[in-house]
């Protein structure tokens, strides 16, 4: 009798895939775009700073910012090339991202966002719009402007489940 030429290794069924158990959303997933809503205990008007900022932007700026948010969330964010519209921030603003759009008369508009992978009851990771600021051409936002943005971000992260609109 001749030796059997078939491999003696156990073959797995190619139609059966291994299941990965996930305990939370991944940064590789598409994200949901949500807006931070101030908690009633911190602001009795229950303001939504990001939506209010967008509502005050010129139409083209508002449309561009919304389109960038949708594209970034679908990419997901770490794979989005940006094209100058989506930028990771540095130094005191590490962990923050901004949507950058130039408006009429060279006025600059900035939308400040956080990525949230720890939100309770979220099936997808969140791209959270916290607030926005604008500035004239060739000027810089002040340290107090950035401190205000960080304060709103800290307020957002202080509660879980998150306070979103």
């Amino acid at each position: 009798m001749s030796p059997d030429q078939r491999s003696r290794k156990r073959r797995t069924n190619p139609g059966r895939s291994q299941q990965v158990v996930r305990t939370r959303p991944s940064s590789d997933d598409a994200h949901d775009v949500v807006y931070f809503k101030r908690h009633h205990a911190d602001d009795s008007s229950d303001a939504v700073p990001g939506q209010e900022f967008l509502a005050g932007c010129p139409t083209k700026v508002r449309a561009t910012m919304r389109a960038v948010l949708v594209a970034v969330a679908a990419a997901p964010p770490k794979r989005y090339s940006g094209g100058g519209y989506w930028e990771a921030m540095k130094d005191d603003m590490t962990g923050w991202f901004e949507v950058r759009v130039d408006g009429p008369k060279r006025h600059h508009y900035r939308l400040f966002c956080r990525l949230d992978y720890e939100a309770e009851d979220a099936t997808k990771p969140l791209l959270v719009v916290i607030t926005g600021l604008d500035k004239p051409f060739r000027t810089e936002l002040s340290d107090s402007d950035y401190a205000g943005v960080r304060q709103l971000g800290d307020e957002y992260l202080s509660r879980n489940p998150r306070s979103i609109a």
Side-chain angles (χ1 to χ4, degrees), residues 20-26 117-118 122:
V20 176
V21 177
R22 292 178 23 171
T23 58
R24 63 184 192 154
S26 165
Y117 302 101
E118 305 295 329

Side-chain angles (χ1 to χ4, degrees), residues 127-147:
L127 188 163
V128 186
V129 178
I130 303 292
T131 191
L133 295 171
D134 64 307
K135 63 188 187 89
F137 180 65
R138 291 194 179 192
T139 63
E140 294 183 6
L141 294 170
S142 69
D143 290 338
S144 64
D145 288 333
Y146 288 119

Side-chain angles (χ1 to χ4, degrees), residues 88-96 150:
M89 299 184 75
K90 302 173 189 161
D91 300 326
D92 290 342
M93 296 296 287
T94 298
W96 286 87
R150 287 191 303 273

Side-chain angles (χ1 to χ4, degrees), residues 2-9 11:
S2 63
D4 188 354
Q5 299 298 318
R6 292 177 290 172
S7 171
R8 295 288 179 208
K9 291 182 182 179
R11 294 181 187 208

Side-chain angles (χ1 to χ4, degrees), residues 3-161:
D4 188 354
Q5 299 298 318
R6 292 177 290 172
S7 171
R8 295 288 179 208
K9 291 182 182 179
R10 182 178 165 105
R11 294 181 187 208
T12 60
N13 184 349
R16 198 170 53 156
S17 64
Q18 292 182 344
Q19 291 185 354
V20 176
V21 177
R22 292 178 23 171
T23 58
R24 63 184 192 154
S26 165
S27 62
D28 291 323
D29 296 339
H31 289 50
D32 279 336
V33 177
V34 297
Y35 292 85
F36 162 60
K37 179 181 177 183
R38 302 223 38 217
H39 193 272
H40 191 75
D42 297 317
D43 179 2
S44 60
S45 69
D46 297 325
V48 183
Q51 284 181 338
E52 292 168 7
F53 172 77
L54 277 173
C57 290
T59 304
K60 185 175 181 193
V61 170
R62 184 173 51 247
T64 302
M65 285 187 161
R66 287 186 175 148
V68 169
L69 290 171
V70 169
V72 169
K78 71 180 188 179
R79 292 191 183 135
Y80 185 76
S81 63
Y85 290 112
W86 176 256
E87 298 289 335
M89 299 184 75
K90 302 173 189 161
D91 300 326
D92 290 342
M93 296 296 287
T94 298
W96 286 87
F97 296 85
E98 64 179 344
V99 176
R100 306 171 69 146
V101 177
D102 294 335
K105 299 180 183 173
R106 299 176 86 179
H107 200 80
H108 302 297
Y109 296 85
R110 305 291 185 253
L111 200 57
F112 297 94
C113 305
R114 297 292 308 245
L115 303 179
D116 188 357
Y117 302 101
E118 305 295 329
E120 290 180 13
D121 302 330
T123 57
K124 290 181 173 182
L126 302 178
L127 188 163
V128 186
V129 178
I130 303 292
T131 191
L133 295 171
D134 64 307
K135 63 188 187 89
F137 180 65
R138 291 194 179 192
T139 63
E140 294 183 6
L141 294 170
S142 69
D143 290 338
S144 64
D145 288 333
Y146 288 119
V149 171
R150 287 191 303 273
Q151 183 178 6
L152 289 173
D154 291 344
E155 181 183 326
Y156 167 77
L157 293 172
S158 70
R159 292 179 177 83
N160 209 354

